[in-house]
Amino acid sequence: METYQELAKSVVISAKKNRLLRYDDALTLVGTGRSAFVFRIEASSKAIKVFFPEFTYIAKEEADIYKALQDISYFPTVYDAGPNYIVMDYIEGRTLFECVNQGFPITSEHIDEIDRALSMALERGLNPSDIHLRNIFITATNEIKLIDVARFRQTKDCTQWSDLKAVYSHYYTKRYFPKKIPATVMNTVAFFYKKQLIPHQLSSSKMD
């Protein structure tokens, strides 16, 4: 198999609109984010995250933060990093967004585990930020994993996780609250939340 660096170089992204043009046959596209494409590496339990041209500066920052979290089981292990990529564990499971969309239950134990993971990051001198439903996984073995830690060093307070927890306790846990919600509804709520048209701590969902 090609080296991680060679696999990263095989990913060609257009300068305009960040369109994915081509990539090595050993890669399978599994996700597209605001700043990168994520691929599973064939015949392995690893993923490679390749950043868009204008966001390559995030690669080193995120890799450094992951390295500070390496012995915490709630975060993926990083195996390699380069100027525009990171190689880490491929996570088998569902994001919290997928759980809500598919009706897969999120328990109070899951919430407690996420709190524990974030507390451990705080103890490392980090400031967990940008915590949303697509950045948290419940794995196939019912464990919690958090990804996309690039903003864990920002200094401003981020209320996203406390808002999500408020939604969970005030709405999700109630018998009448639907446990399966269409993605379009969640995305619409997220849009209004970002525009601050839904008060923090009172939103019916911060779901992006």
Side-chain angles (χ1 to χ4, degrees):
M1 188 179 73
E2 293 183 274
T3 66
Y4 296 136
Q5 185 177 24
E6 288 170 336
L7 288 174
K9 285 183 177 179
S10 79
V11 179
V12 179
I13 303 170
S14 69
K16 288 187 177 182
K17 299 183 179 180
N18 296 315
R19 288 177 54 247
L20 182 59
L21 300 179
R22 60 183 180 274
Y23 51 89
D24 193 276
D25 290 341
L27 301 178
T28 300
L29 181 66
V30 294
T32 303
R34 291 174 292 188
S35 61
F37 292 110
V38 180
F39 304 85
R40 184 171 187 174
I41 301 174
E42 184 180 59
S44 80
S45 59
K46 298 180 179 67
I48 184 168
K49 183 175 184 177
V50 181
F51 290 83
F52 302 160
E54 71 266 36
F55 291 114
T56 54
Y57 67 93
I58 298 176
K60 184 179 186 306
E61 176 72 4
E62 188 162 19
D64 287 346
I65 294 171
Y66 272 127
K67 288 173 184 175
L69 299 166
Q70 281 304 273
D71 59 338
I72 300 176
S73 64
Y74 296 112
F75 300 91
T77 297
V78 168
Y79 301 95
D80 190 29
N84 70 327
Y85 71 91
I86 303 173
V87 179
M88 66 188 80
D89 290 326
Y90 174 76
I91 301 171
E92 294 272 8
R94 297 179 176 89
T95 65
L96 294 195
F97 187 97
E98 291 170 330
C99 287
V100 177
N101 179 237
Q102 298 168 13
F104 186 86
I106 300 169
T107 68
S108 59
E109 288 78 15
H110 292 140
I111 301 300
D112 290 342
E113 289 293 292
I114 297 164
D115 270 337
R116 190 171 294 113
L118 297 176
S119 293
M120 294 176 79
L122 279 167
E123 290 170 1
R124 299 292 169 91
L126 299 171
N127 179 29
S129 305
D130 196 30
I131 309 299
H132 56 72
L133 297 186
R134 288 190 172 97
N135 284 358
I136 306 170
F137 281 81
I138 299 176
T139 72
T141 54
N142 203 35
E143 297 174 297
I144 292 295
K145 293 284 186 180
L146 284 77
I147 62 169
D148 291 349
V149 299
R151 298 186 185 182
F152 273 33
R153 281 181 176 155
Q154 70 177 26
T155 56
K156 69 177 183 179
D157 291 332
C158 177
T159 66
Q160 289 185 116
W161 176 239
S162 58
D163 290 337
L164 277 170
K165 284 202 301 180
V167 169
Y168 181 86
S169 61
H170 295 153
Y171 300 97
Y172 183 89
T173 57
K174 300 300 187 288
R175 185 179 304 174
Y176 61 80
F177 188 82
K179 300 303 185 288
K180 187 174 182 179
I181 301 175
T184 51
V185 173
M186 291 191 281
N187 288 331
T188 299
V189 172
F191 173 81
F192 285 116
Y193 178 91
K194 287 178 180 178
K195 296 294 184 181
Q196 300 184 340
L197 298 175
I198 298 175
H200 287 197
Q201 304 292 347
L202 297 175
S203 57
S204 61
S205 183
K206 179 1 185 140
M207 294 180 175
D208 178 44

